[in-house]
Amino acid sequence: MYKAPRGTHDILPEEWPYWERVMNLCHDLAGRYGYERLETPIFEETSLFVRGVGEGTDIVDKEMYTFRKGKSDLSLRPECTAGTMRAYLEHGMHTRPKPVKVYSLGSIFRYDRPQAGRYRQFWQFNVEAIGEIDPAVDVEIMSIAWQVFKELGFQGLSFQINSTGCPRCRPEYENQLRLYYRPHENRLDGDDRRRLDKNPLRLLDSKSPKAQPLIAGAPKISDYICEECTKHFMTVRRYLEILDRSYTVNHRLVRGLDYYTKTVFEVYAEGIGAQNALCGGGRYDGLIEELGGKPTPGVGFAMGLERVILLMKEQNIVVPDLPRPAVYLVYLGDEAKLSAVRLSESLRDAKIGAQMAFGSRSLGAQMKAANRAGARFVLMLGEDELAQESVTLRDMADGSQELVLLAQVTARLKDDIG
Ligand code: HAM
């Protein structure tokens, strides 16, 4: 028996009320904030991610699904930002009014160790604002995430922010981190030792138990960031306070992708296990230039939909049922079946949801199926009905029945369904 590949999952029909609720909210909120949809391919040239996300990150070094076809070296996208920037450059979107505000909703692929809330194929709602340095945009981006969680009715989230500085001030902080860590190098595991040289900021995000006391005593970036970054960060905080947002400044918050500058943020939930980051993002003022464009600031975030849905279930968030068919057609005899096929199609033409029984089941079995489908009305066709060019309309709520002329049944149902 085949199974879905490890780390992937099917979304069965009974799960869709959750997915529809979240996805509809994402589209709705993106629209309310003025973000337009932009979808990029599921795979891109590998080098886009190597340059964009960064060599030396776990995502690029360990987690990409990379393959060769013809002369191309391709990878399934391990995130959306690099692809979105590639599209921005490729289509000359810099000529549009700034910031260019776009979002996408789709599958992401990372070859990571699967566990609760961590998949190898998962969904992200990804939002980007390109071309504007104003800290108010950072706050708008955070607000979209905030609003999704608020409108879903989540409780007890932890909203954490930090500034990771810029290419002017970060090197000095990285130096300080190296100086601090160097004497303790033998206490670091292999991955962390490599980070010490290549990307010391990531040491602050180490999951190794041995590294935790070191992280606690490490120098804080806030003591090293330049005046411009400090001012930007203070302004972001001021806006958050004006909006009455409760948040924590987490000096250890760094992100797993290299492109971040200045603001970074993550939102965490309780009760869904160790993989509790619902979303994360920040500014990437150097990314477009890194990918060959003119210096262009940007800020964005991505939200993991599987984790959001895990939390909806954990917090017993009620979701609306998916719409049920309004009408179910049952019949007795071949002539009546022909008539049912024709009538069900004309109901759908008239935008009325209609299903019909199949096979040659008894009328009782067909009525049971209508019940199970949750139909509001059943239309019954038999010899008598055919003789009178009519159909029996049964209201499933109260069991009342009446004969309605075939020529009038569509209009009648439209009235009843409203
Ligand atoms: P990220 O933090 O790598 O950021 O991923 C964003 C979110 O995707 C996480 O907070 C989490 O909810 C979800 N996620 C990540 N990995 C997994 C996984 N293996 N299984 C399930 N969910 C997962 C980015 O991807 C950046 N591109 C975000 C961004 C956009 N920054 C600026 N613009």
Side-chain angles (χ1 to χ4, degrees):
M1 189 83 112
Y2 287 113
K3 285 187 159 187
R6 198 164 125 74
T8 68
H9 62 94
D10 302 308
I11 309 176
L12 298 179
E14 53 272 29
E15 288 289 306
W16 276 97
Y18 288 96
W19 287 84
E20 292 279 9
R21 170 76 182 111
V22 178
M23 289 176 167
N24 288 340
L25 189 56
C26 292
H27 291 302
D28 173 16
L29 279 169
R32 259 189 268 166
Y33 283 87
Y35 288 69
E36 295 175 304
R37 192 163 188 180
L38 184 161
E39 294 295 346
T40 62
I42 291 267
F43 56 86
E44 300 269 359
E45 278 183 43
T46 300
S47 61
L48 173 72
F49 300 118
V50 175
R51 282 182 71 181
V53 177
E55 214 166 356
T57 59
D58 282 353
I59 291 180
V60 163
D61 288 4
K62 302 180 187 170
E63 296 174 5
M64 285 210 296
Y65 284 87
T66 297
F67 53 98
R68 223 186 150 72
K69 278 283 167 210
K71 288 197 169 78
S72 306
D73 194 355
L74 303 165
S75 290
L76 298 185
R77 61 182 184 191
E79 59 110 51
C80 285
T81 310
T84 305
M85 298 311 126
R86 193 264 313 132
Y88 174 88
L89 289 169
E90 182 173 342
H91 302 290
M93 292 174 78
H94 62 278
T95 57
R96 301 183 184 208
K98 296 218 183 61
V100 173
K101 307 206 288 189
V102 291
Y103 77 98
S104 53
L105 199 58
S107 284
I108 300 293
F109 305 84
R110 293 183 190 175
Y111 184 73
D112 202 348
R113 205 165 32 82
Q115 61 180 92
R118 193 203 271 150
Y119 297 92
R120 288 178 173 170
Q121 177 178 352
F122 59 96
W123 286 71
Q124 274 188 353
F125 170 44
N126 186 84
V127 184
E128 315 284 2
I130 309 161
E132 179 57 68
I133 187 71
D134 188 339
V137 188
D138 307 33
V139 176
E140 177 171 286
I141 284 289
M142 292 183 202
S143 293
I144 298 173
W146 190 282
Q147 202 69 20
V148 171
F149 301 145
K150 180 171 137 195
E151 294 194 18
L152 285 175
F154 284 166
Q155 304 286 330
L157 301 186
S158 162
F159 199 99
Q160 304 193 2
I161 65 169
N162 193 18
S163 174
T164 52
C166 68
R168 263 189 297 147
C169 53
R170 195 186 302 150
E172 174 52 20
Y173 178 60
E174 286 175 336
N175 260 340
Q176 292 297 325
L177 276 179
R178 282 196 193 95
L179 285 175
Y180 166 80
Y181 270 97
R182 198 65 78 190
H184 309 288
E185 205 172 334
N186 53 358
R187 286 166 63 190
L188 301 177
D189 68 19
D191 270 352
D192 281 349
R193 220 168 292 158
R194 271 190 296 280
R195 286 180 181 134
L196 183 55
D197 290 317
K198 272 193 176 167
N199 195 348
L201 223 58
R202 296 282 305 147
L203 286 165
L204 300 176
D205 198 30
S206 172
K207 300 291 175 286
S208 144
K210 280 190 288 183
Q212 300 313 307
L214 284 173
I215 294 174
K220 286 182 187 167
I221 191 159
S222 52
D223 294 332
Y224 296 90
I225 56 175
C226 61
E227 207 181 311
E228 185 195 304
C229 287
T230 306
K231 192 167 160 225
H232 190 96
F233 194 49
M234 295 321 284
T235 314
V236 167
R237 293 186 58 180
R238 183 155 157 64
Y239 283 127
L240 289 175
E241 273 139 34
I242 280 169
L243 290 172
D244 245 347
R245 299 278 155 80
S246 56
Y247 67 89
T248 317
V249 176
N250 175 356
H251 297 289
R252 319 281 170 222
L253 179 64
V254 288
R255 306 256 309 127
L257 307 93
D258 272 357
Y259 46 64
Y260 291 105
T261 52
K262 294 193 168 71
T263 319
V264 289
F265 74 99
E266 289 202 357
V267 180
Y268 302 96
E270 273 179 23
I272 56 167
Q275 299 306 313
N276 62 347
L278 295 181
C279 74
R283 235 177 213 290
Y284 45 84
D285 294 342
L287 178 57
I288 294 206
E289 200 178 355
E290 176 66 35
L291 297 177
K294 291 207 179 80
T296 311
V299 54
F301 80 96
M303 181 180 291
L305 298 197
E306 280 80 359
R307 292 183 193 175
V308 169
I309 288 166
L310 270 179
L311 190 65
M312 289 169 78
K313 292 178 180 170
E314 171 66 26
Q315 299 199 351
N316 299 315
I317 305 290
V318 179
V319 289
D321 283 337
L322 294 182
R324 296 269 153 200
V327 180
Y328 200 96
L329 289 94
V330 303
Y331 47 82
L332 211 56
D334 290 343
E335 273 305 299
K337 184 169 185 177
L338 288 178
S339 201
V341 167
R342 208 179 311 122
L343 179 55
S344 55
E345 203 55 12
S346 71
L347 288 173
R348 294 164 193 146
D349 275 344
K351 312 264 187 286
I352 297 172
Q355 289 189 31
M356 63 174 279
F358 293 119
S360 40
R361 293 182 179 78
S362 71
L363 205 56
Q366 294 182 50
M367 285 303 289
K368 268 194 195 151
N371 237 327
R372 268 201 302 272
R376 276 178 67 190
F377 298 98
V378 170
L379 294 179
M380 290 185 267
L381 287 148
E383 263 175 39
D384 287 353
E385 281 86 357
L386 286 186
Q388 298 178 62
E389 294 190 359
S390 300
V391 58
T392 299
L393 169 66
R394 181 183 174 95
D395 185 333
M396 297 297 273
D398 58 12
S400 61
Q401 280 184 202
E402 65 182 288
L403 204 63
V404 181
L405 280 174
L406 269 176
Q408 288 169 5
V409 72
T410 305
R412 167 65 192 277
L413 282 168
K414 278 208 139 162
D415 271 356
D416 284 356
I417 294 162

